[in-house]
């Protein structure tokens, strides 16, 4: 008989924690799940993916209404947005999904769910609400929080983060967005489309800094045409409350200072792992400002304590958290050693058009010193894109010197969906020739995946050598019209 109350204890009921909890319990392990907030689901459900994608959809519909003429429709009278209605729609979507992540559902799966603030008292036990809970193994999956810059005045300047933005009681007339990562850029476009005057401040010379500059610049260009103002290579000197709004003093590379004013400031600079208040220091668990350090099997420096999801500071996506949760299950519950492999971890920034990525982009290939070739196909050459009125963007495929795919970036309509074909192809080791030969339905956006591969093969197939051979074999007459 184990001397512990549970086989596995999990701190944090978000994407990572819920994956471990449901899997462990279904494998028959006595599972305890402790969540700090009043409901399960984590940031993704309450303050992240779900509300942001719901908001983005609403903003897109409003954008289409304003652009009805572009589709051959009559101009329509558009009323201003009442953000309380938008917030209500967001909450209604959260409520539906919440049922899937409910305490009842997890209890039915066999998981003991407790709510409260737990802190480790030793490396096998936590204390919470006056009780001690011990487990043979633990998983820390407490997620992340917005990183607030150490800027003069920020402590006394009212600002919002992803925690407040989806439940505002009115649409801001103007908003300054600090940061230009995916969250910042998605929110900037959505609010701009709803009618807010949006200004984005970015320290470096590029938005979406993990992406290739050419594609990130294209996203910025689209957002600028929609009315967003960008200040790149810009530092924040201080923030303040100007009485009739918030103020941000910025400084450009030449040292020139400028004052920006807006109704709201959105801080979306990045995330830091939630490591505070859990007694991690008491059990000498290794962590830093970014999060908890783990090895490839998601183990911390205590081999029976694992960490997964945003709290590790690695790839901060819901699907990465779920994947890491599955690695923990393999190692901690099934005792099957399994390592994480992020080679083909896809992600997408849900601007419109979207920017999706899998594998290496040019930036990472250059950093790794890998030789590559780039193959492109434009959405404006895709029939369905034209029919949809969505002809901005392109697919960029990187191949190594042997013609093996290194990665694919898609900037265009439904890029997040289109990249899934590459998820299957790259993970399954599907040959490019198979993809090029596979019949895709017409007219679809997905044909662009086949076309970009076709571009790689067409030079070889329709080469002079092949033409000469065919002429020799079949006595072809050659061009029937015009000169080459
Ligand atoms: C605005 C926004 C949009 C996003 N959009 C996307 C997207 O489109 N696609 C995507 O893949 N990712 C997106 N993300 C990222 C995604 O939300 C996170 O990567 C994901 O939620 C991480 O899951 P997690 O389980 O690590 O953490 P979380 O989902 O945050 O779960 C952590 C849980 O731990 C709890 N907790 C914290 N401290 C304690 C404690 N001491 N004890 C017990 N419980 C604790 C928290 O309350 C929370 O419920 C977005 C994030 C934001 C902010």
């Amino acid at each position: 008989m184990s001397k512990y109350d549970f086989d596995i204890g999990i701190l944090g009921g978000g994407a990572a924690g819920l994956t471990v909890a449901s899997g462990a319990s279904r494998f028959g392990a006595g599972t305890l799940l402790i969540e700090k907030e009043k409901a399960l689901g984590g940031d993704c459900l309450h303050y992240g993916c779900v509300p942001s994608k719901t908001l983005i959809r609403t903003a897109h519909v409003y954008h289409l209404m304003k652009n009805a003429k572009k589709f051959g429709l009559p101009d329509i009278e558009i009323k201003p947005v009442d953000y309380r209605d938008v917030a209500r729609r967001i909450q209604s979507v959260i409520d539906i999904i919440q049922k899937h992540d409910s305490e009842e559902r997890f209890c039915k799966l066999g998981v003991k769910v407790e709510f409260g603030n737990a802190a480790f008292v030793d490396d096998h036990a936590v204390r919470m609400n006056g009780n001690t809970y011990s487990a043979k193994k633990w998983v820390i999956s407490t997620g992340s929080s917005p990183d607030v810059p150490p800027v003069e005045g920020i402590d006394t300047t009212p600002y919002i983060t992803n925690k407040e933005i989806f439940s505002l009681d009115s649409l801001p007339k103007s908003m300054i967005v600090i940061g230009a990562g995916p969250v910042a850029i998605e929110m900037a476009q959505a609010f701009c489309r709803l009618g807010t005057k949006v200004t984005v401040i970015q320290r470096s010379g590029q938005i979406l800094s993990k992406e290739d500059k050419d594609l990130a610049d294209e996203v910025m260009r689209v957002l600028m045409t929609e009315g967003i103002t960008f200040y790149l290579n810009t530092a924040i000197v201080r923030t303040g409350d100007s009485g009739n709004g918030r103020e941000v003093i910025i400084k450009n590379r030449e040292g020139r200072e400028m004052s920006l004013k807006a109704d709201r400031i959105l801080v979306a600079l990045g995330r830091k792992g939630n490591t505070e208040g859990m007694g991690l220091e008491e059990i000498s668990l290794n962590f830093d400002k970014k999060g908890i350090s783990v090895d490839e099997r998601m183990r911390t420096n205590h081999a029976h304590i694992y960490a997964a999801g945003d709290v590790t500071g690695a790839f901060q996506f819901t699907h990465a958290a779920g994947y890491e949760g599955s690695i923990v299950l393999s190692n901690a519950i099934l005792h099957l050693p399994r390592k994480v492999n992020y080679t083909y971890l896809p992600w997408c920034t849900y601007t419109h058009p979207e920017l999706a990525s899998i594998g290496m982009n040019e930036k990472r290939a250059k950093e790794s010193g890998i030789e590559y070739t780039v193959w492109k196909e434009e959405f404006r050459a895709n029939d369905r894109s034209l029919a949809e009125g969505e002809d901005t963007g392109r697919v960029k495929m990187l191949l190594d010197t042997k013609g093996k795919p290194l990665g694919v970036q898609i900037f265009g309509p439904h890029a997040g969906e289109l990249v899934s074909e590459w998820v299957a192809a790259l993970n399954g080791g599907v040959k490019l020739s198979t993809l090029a030969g596979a019949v895709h339905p017409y007219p679809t956006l997905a044909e662009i995946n086949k076309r970009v591969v076709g571009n790689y093969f067409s030079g070889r197939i329709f080469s002079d050598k092949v033409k000469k051979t065919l002429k020799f074999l079949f006595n072809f007459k050659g061009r029937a019209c015009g000169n080459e």
Side-chain angles (χ1 to χ4, degrees):
M1 240 345 235
S2 167
K3 56 181 176 163
Y4 303 110
D5 303 330
F6 296 91
D7 296 307
I8 190 160
I10 301 152
L11 291 186
L18 295 179
T19 302
V20 180
S22 66
S25 188
R26 289 163 84 185
F27 281 126
T31 306
L32 168 70
L33 173 63
I34 297 178
E35 166 56 48
K36 191 174 85 169
E37 298 289 337
K38 290 192 186 75
L40 300 177
D43 251 27
C44 178
L45 175 58
H46 299 284
Y47 312 108
C49 333
V50 172
S52 63
K53 268 73 254 180
T54 310
L55 174 76
I56 284 169
R57 180 66 184 156
T58 292
H60 181 58
V61 172
Y62 195 59
H63 179 75
L64 287 177
M65 286 161 65
K66 287 189 280 185
N67 288 281
K69 224 173 160 119
K70 190 182 152 196
F71 296 89
L73 295 169
D75 264 337
I76 42 177
E77 193 201 333
I78 311 282
K79 291 192 177 148
V81 167
D82 183 338
Y83 196 75
R84 286 169 307 181
D85 291 335
V86 178
R88 266 193 285 278
R89 172 168 186 262
I90 292 172
Q91 192 54 49
S92 73
V93 175
I94 294 174
D95 291 345
I96 296 168
I97 302 175
Q98 179 70 79
K99 292 192 189 93
H100 188 257
D101 289 349
S102 67
E103 183 189 350
E104 296 71 42
R105 182 174 162 261
F106 276 82
C107 185
K108 272 194 193 140
L109 290 172
V111 180
K112 173 83 178 151
V113 180
E114 295 281 1
F115 293 94
N117 274 306
F120 281 96
V121 285
D122 64 51
D123 63 347
H124 280 286
V126 298
R127 189 116 181 108
M128 186 181 70
N129 304 335
N131 298 314
T132 303
Y133 301 83
S134 66
K136 191 169 180 202
K137 295 183 176 171
W138 282 95
V139 184
I140 303 172
S141 49
T142 47
S144 63
S145 298
D147 208 359
V148 178
V151 167
E152 187 190 327
I154 196 84
D155 292 342
T156 52
T157 310
Y159 62 84
I160 56 171
T161 67
N162 64 301
K163 286 239 156 160
E164 296 81 24
I165 197 164
F166 304 110
S167 53
L168 298 175
D169 54 14
S170 63
L171 183 76
K173 280 200 177 62
S174 52
M175 185 160 75
I176 295 169
V177 180
I178 300 182
V183 172
I185 293 302
E186 287 180 6
M187 291 302 97
Q189 187 181 38
F191 274 85
C192 172
R193 287 182 160 191
L194 292 175
T196 301
K197 187 181 172 324
V198 177
T199 305
V200 176
I201 306 171
Q202 164 75 331
R203 204 175 12 212
S204 73
Q206 181 195 318
I207 67 165
L208 302 173
S209 49
K210 283 196 180 124
E211 310 293 346
D212 281 347
K213 188 165 173 2
D214 57 338
L215 296 181
D217 283 353
E218 290 246 9
V219 175
M220 189 170 78
R221 189 188 53 75
V222 171
L223 269 54
M224 283 168 73
T225 59
E226 291 188 13
I228 299 176
T229 307
F230 286 88
Y231 287 94
L232 303 185
N233 296 310
T234 297
I236 296 170
V237 180
R238 63 183 174 278
T239 63
D241 205 340
S242 73
N244 56 351
R246 329 282 180 230
E247 184 177 26
V248 178
I249 309 293
I250 56 170
K251 185 160 80 173
N252 69 9
R253 265 209 296 215
E254 287 72 47
R256 195 166 61 86
E257 287 194 8
M258 195 177 154
S259 156
L260 302 175
K261 292 197 176 81
D263 280 0
R264 298 275 188 183
I265 297 174
L266 171 68
V267 173
L269 257 188
R271 317 273 305 167
K272 58 177 190 328
N274 292 330
T275 51
E276 279 170 22
M278 286 185 281
L280 300 186
E281 297 85 352
E282 279 71 45
I283 60 167
S284 305
L285 198 106
N286 289 346
F287 68 98
D288 60 21
K289 221 179 114 231
K290 275 190 80 188
I292 296 177
S293 319
V294 286
D295 66 9
E296 288 173 307
R297 288 167 62 186
M298 307 310 296
R299 295 173 301 190
T300 66
N301 55 313
H302 294 292
H304 66 285
I305 303 182
Y306 294 75
D310 278 16
V311 73
T312 64
F315 293 92
Q316 292 178 320
F317 303 106
T318 294
H319 46 282
Y323 169 61
E324 290 163 3
S326 74
I327 298 289
V328 171
L329 276 175
S330 267
N331 288 296
I333 300 297
L334 302 178
H335 294 262
L336 294 173
R338 209 176 135 210
K339 294 178 179 174
V340 276
N341 180 352
Y342 298 111
T343 309
Y344 295 130
L345 182 86
W347 64 75
C348 183
T349 300
Y350 297 90
T351 44
H352 181 233
E354 297 174 353
L355 176 52
S357 176
I358 183 167
M360 281 200 178
N361 59 13
E362 285 197 77
K363 211 174 238 184
R364 283 190 291 282
K366 276 183 189 139
E367 278 163 12
S368 315
I370 292 175
E371 273 186 59
Y372 63 88
T373 55
V374 180
W375 301 84
K376 293 180 187 173
E377 177 68 17
E378 302 290 329
F379 275 95
R380 62 172 177 267
N382 175 282
D383 293 358
R384 184 59 183 271
S385 298
L386 296 171
E388 296 284 324
E390 299 265 15
D391 56 354
T392 303
R394 73 183 61 93
V395 174
K396 246 176 100 174
M397 176 178 74
L398 260 70
L399 303 182
D400 69 11
T401 46
K402 291 188 182 128
K404 207 172 151 267
L406 292 167
V408 176
Q409 279 71 55
I410 307 177
F411 170 55
H414 303 288
E417 308 291 336
L418 295 178
V419 82
S420 291
E421 185 167 11
W422 292 101
V423 171
L426 296 179
N427 282 292
V430 174
K431 282 189 180 155
L432 282 186
S433 53
T434 307
L435 201 52
V439 180
H440 287 57
Y442 175 85
T444 56
L445 298 172
E447 284 180 292
I448 199 163
N449 289 332
K450 179 182 160 82
R451 285 287 289 270
V452 73
V453 178
N455 292 347
Y456 167 65
F457 286 114
S458 68
R460 295 153 178 235
I461 295 171
F462 304 113
S463 66
D464 284 348
K465 199 170 152 194
V466 172
K467 272 197 275 187
K468 272 183 196 151
T469 311
L470 291 174
K471 188 178 167 68
F472 173 75
L473 290 174
F474 307 118
N475 200 21
F476 282 165
K477 292 183 195 303
R479 295 179 66 88
C481 180
N483 297 321
E484 216 160 339

